[in-house]
Amino acid sequence: MTLDRLALGGLTAAALALAGCAGGQSSPSAMAPMFGGAQRQTHRASGSSSDVLYVLMSRKAYIVALPGLSKLSVMNGTYGNVAVSDPNNGNVFLGNCCEFAHGSKEPFAHFPGVSGEVAYDAAFDPTTDNLAFSMGKEPSNGSSGWIAVYANLNHKPTVYTDSSMKYYGGLAYDGQGDLFVLGSDASGNGSVIGELPKGENHFTNFVPSRSDGFDDASQVFWDGSYIVIRARSKFDRVAFSGSSMTVVGQTLLKGAFNPWYGSFWLQDGTIYGPHLGDAPHNGRYLGLWHYPQGGSAYAVMKDLNSNQKERITAVTLSVAPNAGRTR
């Protein structure tokens, strides 16, 4: 999401400056902005029978084999900063664009979207395979955002808004199908972390104190035990109880290219993301860090692209179908 993240800059860099606790309410709507395109479906034919990475750069995307970090395919085009994968079947959604089967460089569905609307982030529900998007207008014009959850992209989504939130950014489902979202408060200046429990229509909202260090927070993950909030090179494990949240652990990455608009991926004890390269250190190397240990990358792939104007914008891991793992 090059432009998407820039449009969200007020949310991630300013609005995610955190302070206090609040509750909110959501309202599902039948009148919903929606992506057009084919029905989502499970496709198991692919170019790889093992796990692969989809690595997005400014003008190209790459499919990289694991564990050897070798290039399998190159995909021309601009995909932005959204890259997410379905833990149940390996399907991958990239940008405001397309869905791919595991290991494939040819999409099986295209989503042209609605003119003037962008998805800032997306997440697959591991319990249903529903696909959730944090949505907004492009460019940011003061209009409020919304969460759109699709069971079928041929049909209108269920739309959630919250009176305590204006903009919606990073998304993640936990293992029980509860949806977590990074957002800004109703003024657009403060910060909110919202939880939409599975089967509920109302958010529980958390507004942590600024001392928790979530300025520039831009992504949220599920590590199998905790919700993890990323702010640049810092990954905080967070426990939620009632109306409070507590940071219970922290992972710091060394050598990461870490502007707030960059996107990383956390899965199966590894963080994948842009690593500092040669001058001008623009993040065109792919780094792999142990999680939760952090520190220096244990592997760095330097030969994705030799163009120093390129950088990695997003990464996701596509698990080989029937591998039986979840994120």
Side-chain angles (χ1 to χ4, degrees):
M1 294 176 295
T2 49
L3 183 57
D4 306 3
R5 286 287 187 189
L6 292 175
L8 195 57
L11 167 64
T12 53
L16 290 179
L18 308 166
C21 260
Q25 195 169 35
S26 68
S27 55
S29 170
M31 298 302 295
M34 65 178 292
F35 288 156
Q39 176 179 349
R40 281 184 56 239
Q41 51 191 300
T42 299
H43 282 235
R44 297 187 182 276
S46 73
S48 175
S49 59
S50 60
D51 296 353
V52 297
L53 295 173
Y54 282 75
V55 184
L56 279 55
M57 300 190 81
S58 306
R59 298 174 182 85
K60 294 179 184 293
Y62 299 88
I63 301 175
V64 175
L66 290 174
L69 294 180
S70 59
K71 283 187 286 189
L72 295 176
S73 300
V74 180
M75 302 154 60
N76 293 316
T78 301
Y79 293 94
N81 288 53
V82 175
V84 296
S85 61
D86 188 328
N88 296 320
N89 54 46
N91 288 352
V92 170
F93 185 89
L94 303 181
N96 286 283
C97 171
C98 331
E99 191 167 4
F100 299 79
H102 168 80
S104 175
K105 68 174 186 177
E106 299 297 334
F108 66 80
H110 295 265
F111 310 115
V114 176
S115 178
E117 297 175 359
V118 292
Y120 295 117
D121 202 5
F124 283 98
D125 182 346
T127 67
T128 64
D129 288 331
N130 287 352
L131 187 52
F133 296 90
S134 53
M135 300 292 298
K137 298 291 186 179
E138 178 189 2
S140 181
N141 58 6
S143 299
S144 298
W146 62 93
I147 300 293
V149 179
Y150 289 85
N152 182 323
L153 285 166
N154 270 340
H155 301 140
K156 288 185 177 181
T158 301
V159 169
Y160 298 90
T161 59
D162 187 284
S163 60
S164 297
M165 284 190 278
K166 184 172 185 179
Y167 303 121
Y168 304 79
L171 293 177
Y173 281 97
D174 67 13
Q176 290 71 51
D178 305 319
L179 179 63
F180 290 81
V181 56
L182 296 174
S184 70
D185 64 18
S187 71
N189 297 314
S191 301
V192 177
I193 298 171
E195 178 188 2
L196 182 64
K198 182 178 176 63
E200 299 283 338
N201 291 328
H202 296 79
F203 282 90
T204 299
N205 291 331
F206 308 86
V207 186
S209 87
R210 183 178 292 271
S211 64
D212 286 327
F214 290 151
D215 290 4
D216 290 345
S218 57
Q219 288 186 277
V220 57
F221 306 95
W222 171 245
D223 72 358
S225 299
Y226 295 101
I227 286 294
V228 179
I229 298 173
R230 173 190 160 245
R232 296 187 183 267
S233 295
K234 180 169 66 71
F235 293 70
D236 286 325
R237 295 180 290 285
V238 179
F240 295 88
S241 177
S243 60
S244 64
M245 58 177 286
T246 305
V247 176
V248 297
Q250 185 176 93
T251 297
L252 299 175
L253 305 186
K254 293 182 179 180
F257 179 71
N258 60 9
W260 57 264
Y261 52 79
S263 291
F264 289 70
W265 189 257
L266 167 59
Q267 186 165 333
D268 293 337
T270 298
I271 295 173
Y272 306 86
H275 193 283
L276 293 175
D278 297 329
H281 307 299
N282 61 352
R284 61 190 171 89
Y285 294 170
L286 173 65
L288 281 65
W289 291 264
H290 289 300
Y291 174 86
Q293 297 90 333
S296 299
Y298 70 84
V300 179
M301 184 178 184
K302 299 182 177 181
D303 60 350
L304 271 177
N305 194 315
S306 61
N307 185 346
Q308 292 189 351
K309 294 182 179 180
E310 290 287 303
R311 63 175 177 82
I312 292 173
T313 59
V315 181
T316 191
L317 187 153
S318 175
V319 172
N322 302 318
R325 296 197 302 270
T326 60
R327 61 181 169 90

